[in-house]
Amino acid sequence: MAWDAQTYGSRWSEIYDGLPWPGPHQAVDFLAKLAEGGPALELAIGTGRIAVPLVERGVEVHGLDSSDEMIGKLREKEGGENIPVTKADISNFTVDQEFSLAFLVLNTIYALQSQEEQLSCFVSAAAALKPGGHFVVEAFMPDPTRFRRNSWTQVHDMGLDHVLIEADRHDPSTQQILEQHIHLKQGSVELFPAFLRYVWPSEMDLMARLAGMRLVERFGGWAGEPFNARSGNVVSVFRRDAS
Ligand SMILES: C[S@@+](CC[C@H](N)C(=O)[O-])C[C@H]1O[C@@H](n2cnc3c(N)ncnc32)[C@H](O)[C@@H]1O
């Protein structure tokens, strides 16, 4: 299967904003406090689900994304047309100014397909920060126990004329998951794939150390929930070293 930095946007952009994502307000509160006046850089800004309300909170936000389709959807939104966005691959990027905050949310660190690309993303993010600036990464907590013989299927939604099924295949040796979200309707089948490499929190901490950052806080969610064995989500805050 050929999966690259454009695939997610080309397959998901038309339905993305209609998906049942959690409301952005807790994330925006969390990020606005850390921005300390900004500017802030969102890696993989997408359609601006977080960036648009963060700008409304008074934070100057810049964005990076690899997908013309996702950036196009951002541009159609009120408040999205003026956010400076650069088309770039977050696995290796440079910016021409320093930020007090960089953030990468909604599991998108996992969109990078190898440990090497993920580490390179941490290195690029650290280089975009002022000394003492913060890098926030939010992702689901990996749970290999949900797979039986490395497969998993679930019915997410169904009615008389449709069913939405997710079928996943897991490779524990590479920490990769291929997801297929299958929409069956009367007379049609649509496939929405996602291919990801999950990262353990401890592995992220090492990537941060190698990039010249350190973990300063870790939560189980945007409301500051404790991170523990029951956490389904991980919000990690790294700080760039002073020198
Ligand atoms: C799940 S969406 C998240 C968008 C947004 N951050 C949000 O919270 O709604 C993933 C985004 O990552 C972008 N993306 C995936 N791989 C990328 C890469 N290698 N470089 C830059 N952007 C990438 C996609 O185009 C898409 O906009």
Side-chain angles (χ1 to χ4, degrees), residues 1-242:
M1 188 200 57
W3 180 275
D4 63 26
Q6 272 81 41
T7 314
Y8 186 91
S10 67
R11 300 298 288 261
W12 288 84
S13 62
E14 282 306 321
I15 63 163
Y16 188 83
D17 282 332
L19 294 171
W21 303 120
H25 303 296
Q26 287 180 337
V28 167
D29 286 348
F30 188 103
L31 294 166
K33 268 187 220 133
L34 269 181
E36 294 161 353
L41 177 68
E42 181 167 9
L43 281 58
I45 190 169
T47 64
R49 187 183 64 90
I50 298 295
V52 170
L54 192 55
V55 170
E56 283 165 7
R57 285 284 298 269
V59 179
E60 179 186 333
V61 180
H62 297 232
L64 305 172
D65 206 283
S66 56
S67 165
D68 287 325
E69 291 95 337
M70 295 294 275
I71 297 170
K73 294 288 176 195
L74 167 69
R75 293 295 183 226
E76 286 169 13
K77 286 183 184 168
E78 197 182 328
E81 66 276 45
N82 298 324
I83 297 177
V85 177
T86 305
K87 190 175 172 186
D89 188 330
I90 59 163
S91 68
N92 188 0
F93 66 90
T94 53
V95 288
D96 54 12
Q97 69 181 101
E98 285 190 330
F99 293 87
S100 57
L101 172 70
F103 58 100
L104 176 54
V105 300
L106 205 64
N107 316 319
T108 306
I109 184 66
Y110 301 165
L112 305 179
Q113 302 294 304
S114 66
Q115 188 184 60
E116 207 48 50
E117 286 188 13
Q118 290 161 339
L119 172 58
S120 168
C121 174
F122 270 77
V123 171
S124 300
L129 289 173
K130 301 173 184 165
H134 292 99
F135 182 39
V136 176
V137 182
E138 179 221 7
F140 66 79
M141 182 64 190
D143 177 15
T145 64
R146 77 184 159 96
F147 296 97
R148 184 172 156 78
R149 299 209 176 102
N150 295 324
S151 299
W152 182 81
T153 52
Q154 176 118 329
V155 174
H156 286 308
D157 189 25
M158 68 187 297
L160 289 184
D161 295 315
H162 78 282
V163 57
L164 171 51
I165 301 168
E166 180 178 344
D168 294 2
R169 204 174 57 205
H170 177 218
D171 182 343
S173 70
T174 57
Q175 298 172 206
Q176 286 173 321
I177 299 172
L178 175 58
E179 300 179 357
Q180 195 53 270
H181 299 250
I182 306 159
H183 292 207
L184 302 170
K185 291 182 225 158
Q186 289 289 17
S188 79
V189 179
E190 288 182 282
L191 299 178
F192 297 91
F195 191 45
L196 51 96
R197 179 188 184 272
Y198 60 82
V199 187
W200 295 106
S202 54
E203 189 184 3
M204 265 191 220
D205 298 349
L206 276 179
M207 289 182 188
R209 292 285 294 271
L210 289 167
M213 298 187 284
R214 275 171 200 267
L215 180 76
V216 287
E217 285 179 306
R218 171 161 284 140
F219 301 103
W222 289 116
E225 299 90 334
F227 177 68
N228 57 36
R230 290 181 304 284
S231 298
N233 229 22
V234 195
V235 177
S236 306
V237 182
F238 302 100
R239 185 164 52 219
R240 184 181 153 176
D241 297 342

